Amino acid sequence: MNATTSTPELFAKHKESLDKALEAVHKRTFYAHYPEPPSKRIYGETANDEGLAAYQAQIGNLLPLHQQHDATLVSDEASPYTQEALNLSYPISENPQDYIDRAQDALKSWRKVDVQSRAALLMESLDAIKERFFELAYATMHTTGQSFMMSFQASGPHALDRAIETIALALFEMNRFPTSTFEWVKPMGKFEVKMEKRYRFVPKGVGLAIGVSTFPVWNTVPGLYADLITGNPVIVKPHPLSIYPIAIVVQEIQNVLAKHGLDVHIAQLATDKAEAPITGAFTDSEAVKLIDFTGGNAYGDFIETLGGKGKTTFTEKAGVNSVILDSTDNLKKMLGNLGFSLSMYSGQMCTCPQNIFIPKDGIKVNGEQVSYDEVVAGLAKSMAGLATHPKAGPGILGAIQNPATAARVKEAASSLGKVLLEGPEVSNPEFPNARLAAPSLIEVAADQYEVFSKEVFGPIAMVIPTENTEESLALAKKLASEKGAISCTLHSTDEAVIERVEEEMAESATPVSTNFTGNFWVNQNAGFSDFHVTGGNPAGNASLTDPSFVTKRFTIVGSRVFIPEPPAEA
Amino acid sequence: MNATTSTPELFAKHKESLDKALEAVHKRTFYAHYPEPPSKRIYGETANDEGLAAYQAQIGNLLPLHQQHDATLVSDEASPYTQEALNLSYPISENPQDYIDRAQDALKSWRKVDVQSRAALLMESLDAIKERFFELAYATMHTTGQSFMMSFQASGPHALDRAIETIALALFEMNRFPTSTFEWVKPMGKFEVKMEKRYRFVPKGVGLAIGVSTFPVWNTVPGLYADLITGNPVIVKPHPLSIYPIAIVVQEIQNVLAKHGLDVHIAQLATDKAEAPITGAFTDSEAVKLIDFTGGNAYGDFIETLGGKGKTTFTEKAGVNSVILDSTDNLKKMLGNLGFSLSMYSGQMCTCPQNIFIPKDGIKVNGEQVSYDEVVAGLAKSMAGLATHPKAGPGILGAIQNPATAARVKEAASSLGKVLLEGPEVSNPEFPNARLAAPSLIEVAADQYEVFSKEVFGPIAMVIPTENTEESLALAKKLASEKGAISCTLHSTDEAVIERVEEEMAESATPVSTNFTGNFWVNQNAGFSDFHVTGGNPAGNASLTDPSFVTKRFTIVGSRVFIPEPPAEA
């Protein structure tokens, strides 16, 4: 008999939270497990100071992990705010195969831990990470260039809520069919055929979670926890420029595993440097069965081809997101919200709009026609105003993660079309050396499809004057189908237009966000409610965190034991 | 506004059946919607005569379909029982692109039919097919070589029950998240963010269902109905040697579509001949997004590579199925059941065992050791007895579907190893010209992995003497992992061995059937209870009919409309 590891008391501790989470997943009404404000009232008077101190103590030092290692690596991480190296080091294995061997070994024990206990252990790890939300925020800020607020929310409560979604979903899916033995009785007229049946939920194998530089935690955590809850060990391969934040996550998972006497190699961190990448060793391995990837199209397309080689892949790549302006009853708020969306984290978000389609005759505002020029001028003004706002500006823009992005954007802007707004010079008093770039706005003609159909990552947006909303929609739909899209923004006061755009964009598997004029931006996807990416257009082949995001990670295997009829009475 | 087609009355008619089906799907206890015995009491006094008459009337004639066509094609179908051509003809389009164009057009209206109405319409089609179960049985018999009984059950009630499974599952999955608008309210401290949200379930695109010669209906219907219920139009591309049975299915679907004023091209039949295949035109098409395939490994592997090109593929290929004999308390029944499994339809089933692993020291029977030689001799005797049984033999063996199989098998047997049983000469008094081949039994050494690891389709089984059950299991597991497996048979009286084999084979994603000694064979998978294929080893990448079999066919796309706060009171 093979023993199954079970920790019913630990599960009982988290059951109510998981029940609530699953209810939210199915109702899709608002729900949050971890509060998003980094407030003292919620997280404690000293939480921020302690987090900052922990961050500062880590700088220049080794981040210890429980996993076996034979060397350490000093990473190339550097703060986009100070442009100084963080001089962090991580334990590594020189031979990538060692990670795979240890993961394969860890699979044997992890799959024997029942799903309830896995859920409980993973919830324990999340609660431990919660205690480090502020350190995690500083780690995220100084690797990605996100503002402190975005860093706190994206790497902290928002990311962890997405992890809870996958845990709750997996609990549902893996208890959906009977896992304990039951009797199957088939009436055959004069007799019955009887069997004992049961189903096993078998993990697929070793998982690989490949991180992205701009959102090292938010984009990695869903796949990481989805692998773990379904019984698969994971190798986390962070982007070489943002390791620290996700290292905290792996560290806390390993702490929980160690505490409960489990193999710490169920979750490993495999750190590398850009000049000596190790990802290929993992993607080439037969043992790696699951790959989660967030990043650029070229490598993402390669990852997807591995689907033809027996691997299950979950990709989020780049898309070209559209905005369709048709009409509004609040021009100012529309321009304010849109300007904010374009400026947030200097456009370094996969959900950030790129192309703004506006009818050349302008749009209706409260029934009155407002000219194209006026709308465009208003948008440029909104963007410039936000970027240069002395108090809010630095928090909206954050810093530019990658030096290459900053350089590329400067050059690109004028080559694309007519410059309507050149990103104004901005400064961050707190971080005078911050790598900054305020968004530019460029006008491109509607027949310049080859220009605006390319993804331009970072602080550049394009305005495209169209014949009418019909043409705007046609272009947005074509872009989504051919180049992929993760978001689509619409402003319209016409119910028929809203329905039409939603229907047409749905055919290109793109969600539409309409009339956003308040404190919520198209860039944001809410945990437990908004699926992130649809998997239905070239922007990615997976949807965080729909049921397939979980069910593709295991196989259901039935077994049948025949029950003979009792011998006939003499 | 886009109108949605809805037929609530029709759905009401089928609701109870669908509710029962879904309950069975989740409980996985015995359930059948269509009774499996071809009895007069159930299907009517005249059903068989009428079915035979309909079959005879069809022979030599055109099978009419509603779909557009510009030519007709006389198929190469020929009865394995009479070896005469059926001279059936089918309406076709000379240019394969025409099928794709019509399917893309049909998608527009079909996706607007709500899922409840699609379910009801599809149930109507199944009820119409039920009225033709006997014709379908004769059509299946004279294209596949299956016995009448197997033809009736596999193409009739068993196939249609699998269709109902997918319909019921899709109804669940597509109502799992809110499809009508609801309010999402996020508390933000001093104010709230409110949105109207809804989710659309968007079909992926044109489906392609590629049929297999031996099970033209059973293996096609799950994917066909899964595509249709989720809103995708389908092109059915049958095997050139067994078109008639699935043509009946498509015909009845088109009848229902036509009756309800819907586009008949939602389901099309695309017939070709082996010398001028058209499948490539469909697999090459960008528009084709879903492919269901049953058949050989070479083409199946190719289909799976299309997963890297934006298509979702569902394959069932070949595997090498193992039998592990460890111990039994009823040697006679064990050998009888196993002999039957090996002989059924002359081994032309993907679930049929191929390799029988037996410890060279024999097995325990009621605590007493019975020698390897005795077990093997008993098995050969059981097989020969069944094949040559004057009454039961022809019904067990059926006929050999493909002339190539018969020729290949004759040659192959002696080249594999030591011939323990040469398939005896058999005859079928009812069909003196039937293409027959009784199974042979060959002994192959355990170190001849390259011999027994090749799939040998048709009436050949191999016995492999091993050191012990441990080695038997190791070889069966290796085979399943490396070559794929759809079934595994075990005979053991030891609970620990049963648990061990189930656990180990589960790691190779192979279901285990233990101690089958009565009127049920490992070859059979029960609708609503046994998943068919696991998708977790090289025998296929999909599992009929688990939730993923349905959910991968659509995309969930959310939409959000911001609700502004009411203006503050003056």
Side-chain angles (χ1 to χ4, degrees), chain A residues 26 36 111-112 173 176 186 197 199-200 502-503 507 512 514-515 524 529-530 560 562, chain B residues 26 36 111-112 173 176 186 197 199-200 502-503 507 512 514-515 524 529-530 560 562:
Chain A
H26 278 138
E36 67 178 16
R111 66 165 291 227
K112 297 282 181 193
E173 294 294 345
R176 189 162 163 184
K186 178 179 180 179
K197 293 196 179 188
Y199 301 91
R200 283 172 171 78
E502 286 185 2
E503 278 288 308
E507 287 183 18
V512 178
T514 300
N515 296 340
Q524 299 175 301
S529 186
D530 300 324
R560 326 183 272 193
F562 191 81
Chain B
H26 278 138
E36 67 178 16
R111 65 166 290 227
K112 297 282 181 192
E173 296 292 346
R176 189 162 164 185
K186 178 178 179 179
K197 293 196 180 190
Y199 301 91
R200 283 172 171 78
E502 286 185 2
E503 278 288 309
E507 286 184 19
V512 178
T514 300
N515 296 339
Q524 300 175 303
S529 186
D530 300 323
R560 326 183 271 192
F562 191 80

Side-chain angles (χ1 to χ4, degrees), chain A residues 53-92:
Chain A
Y55 166 79
Q56 284 163 340
Q58 183 61 61
I59 295 308
N61 290 314
L62 176 78
L63 191 140
L65 294 166
H66 289 277
Q67 70 191 49
Q68 287 175 32
H69 59 280
D70 47 36
T72 58
L73 174 146
V74 180
S75 80
D76 289 330
E77 291 165 287
S79 169
Y81 286 98
T82 64
Q83 307 215 38
E84 284 168 12
L86 302 186
N87 290 316
L88 291 169
S89 57
Y90 301 92
I92 61 159

Side-chain angles (χ1 to χ4, degrees), chain B residues 81-410:
Chain B
Y81 285 98
T82 65
Q83 306 213 38
E84 285 168 11
L86 302 186
N87 290 315
L88 291 169
S89 57
Y90 301 92
I92 61 159
S93 295
E94 302 259 23
N95 181 358
Q97 185 60 38
D98 291 349
Y99 295 101
I100 298 170
D101 292 344
R102 291 189 300 253
Q104 282 194 283
D105 207 49
L107 171 60
K108 292 175 200 155
S109 54
W110 187 233
R111 65 166 290 227
K112 297 282 181 192
V113 178
D114 64 39
V115 64
Q116 281 77 5
S117 303
R118 288 199 296 257
L121 292 162
L122 294 174
M123 290 297 282
E124 290 284 296
S125 76
L126 296 176
D127 284 348
I129 294 163
K130 178 191 161 200
E131 299 301 318
R132 295 174 72 181
F133 270 179
F134 287 84
E135 180 193 355
L136 189 52
Y138 288 108
T140 300
M141 185 178 172
H142 288 291
T143 49
T144 66
Q146 291 175 21
S147 69
F148 176 79
M149 180 63 97
M150 183 184 282
S151 295
F152 183 89
Q153 296 187 340
S155 286
H158 291 175
L160 270 52
D161 273 2
R162 295 246 99 142
I164 294 177
E165 279 185 78
T166 69
I167 296 170
L169 252 180
L171 269 175
F172 175 82
E173 296 292 346
M174 298 181 99
N175 286 294
R176 189 162 164 185
F177 304 111
T179 51
S180 48
T181 306
F182 67 98
E183 205 169 288
W184 183 85
V185 183
K186 178 178 179 179
M188 300 283 288
K190 290 181 186 146
F191 64 100
E192 289 174 336
V193 171
K194 288 190 189 178
M195 297 181 198
E196 282 180 351
K197 293 196 180 190
R198 65 172 288 202
Y199 301 91
R200 283 172 171 78
F201 292 77
V202 183
K204 286 245 171 114
V206 175
L208 172 67
I210 305 172
V212 65
S213 61
T214 44
F215 286 89
V217 176
W218 196 92
N219 276 88
T220 296
V221 150
L224 166 59
Y225 276 82
D227 275 351
L228 291 174
I229 182 63
T230 51
N232 302 283
V234 196
I235 298 167
V236 177
K237 216 307 287 172
H239 190 280
L241 296 182
S242 45
I243 305 160
Y244 181 13
I246 194 69
I248 291 175
V249 172
V250 175
Q251 199 179 40
E252 291 301 339
I253 295 171
Q254 290 189 352
N255 283 345
V256 170
L257 293 169
K259 187 180 160 192
H260 290 84
L262 289 157
D263 189 337
V264 298
H265 302 100
I266 290 164
Q268 299 178 81
L269 186 76
T271 308
D272 65 357
K273 292 175 89 118
E275 67 264 28
I278 58 172
T279 316
F282 301 136
T283 56
D284 284 351
S285 168
E286 269 282 322
V288 171
K289 299 291 187 192
L290 299 161
I291 304 180
D292 285 83
F293 169 82
T294 309
N297 286 339
Y299 204 70
D301 290 344
F302 160 71
I303 294 290
E304 288 178 10
T305 66
L306 301 175
K309 294 183 179 168
K311 301 192 194 304
T312 304
T313 67
F314 303 85
T315 65
E316 178 188 330
K317 303 177 292 181
V320 176
N321 301 320
S322 296
V323 176
I324 298 169
L325 300 187
D326 173 73
S327 50
T328 181
D329 55 16
N330 196 324
L331 184 65
K332 199 180 157 204
K333 282 196 171 179
M334 177 187 94
L335 295 173
N337 188 286
L338 186 55
F340 201 101
S341 278
L342 298 170
S343 307
M344 210 177 192
Y345 188 26
S346 297
Q348 301 168 98
M349 298 176 82
C350 60
T351 45
C352 179
Q354 172 175 308
N355 296 326
I356 303 148
F357 296 102
I358 310 176
K360 65 180 171 41
D361 295 335
I363 65 170
K364 277 250 166 16
V365 177
N366 281 323
E368 309 247 316
Q369 197 72 7
V370 171
S371 75
Y372 167 86
D373 286 342
E374 197 177 325
V375 174
V376 168
L379 180 59
K381 194 179 158 202
S382 161
M383 290 165 69
L386 287 165
T388 57
H389 191 285
K391 263 184 89 175
I396 296 169
L397 295 181
I400 301 292
Q401 201 272 337
N402 195 320
T405 305
R408 191 173 44 70
V409 159
K410 274 256 146 94

